[in-house]
Amino acid sequence: MGRKGGQGSRPGLRQQAVDVVLDDGQSLLVYNPTTRGRDQLSVALSVAGRTWRKVLDLEDQPGEYSYPAVIQTPDGRVHVTYTYRRRSIKHVAID
């Protein structure tokens, strides 16, 4: 189901990003939407991978949010883990 993100028309890819193809065929991308630093972590969706629509900010407060990992479980939920402020790993489940 998943593949690691890379360069291209995806938003904010000066930092590490990761994407998966969801069961409904959409691509979901977790990325840092800034060109400097990792103070934000966002989620975007795309149908064909050409244009991306930001749908959620996971983090938007000062701190470092990095190294995301994403999976979709059989119940359809998307689980995101990432380094939270260089102190711990945070888990977010998205319906």
Side-chain angles (χ1 to χ4, degrees), residues 35-75:
T35 57
R36 292 186 67 185
R38 296 176 178 175
D39 286 346
Q40 296 176 323
L41 193 64
S42 298
V43 175
L45 288 174
S46 177
V47 174
R50 291 192 179 114
T51 59
W52 294 87
R53 176 176 51 95
K54 184 164 91 168
V55 295
L56 177 66
D57 286 319
L58 296 173
E59 301 291 346
D60 63 0
Q61 299 297 313
E64 182 177 310
Y65 312 103
S66 53
Y67 305 108
V70 181
I71 64 167
Q72 184 177 31
T73 51
D75 63 3

Side-chain angles (χ1 to χ4, degrees), residues 15-33:
Q15 307 293 338
Q16 182 175 359
V18 65
D19 71 330
V20 295
V21 177
L22 302 175
D23 291 341
D24 66 3
Q26 293 186 88
S27 293
L28 181 139
L29 177 72
V30 179
Y31 68 105
N32 298 103

Side-chain angles (χ1 to χ4, degrees), residues 30 41 43 56-59 69-71 77-82 84 89-95:
V30 179
L41 193 64
V43 175
L56 177 66
D57 286 319
L58 296 173
E59 301 291 346
V70 181
I71 64 167
R77 296 175 78 189
V78 174
H79 297 266
V80 182
T81 58
Y82 53 94
Y84 180 79
I89 303 297
K90 188 169 182 178
H91 170 254
V92 176
I94 305 167
D95 286 326

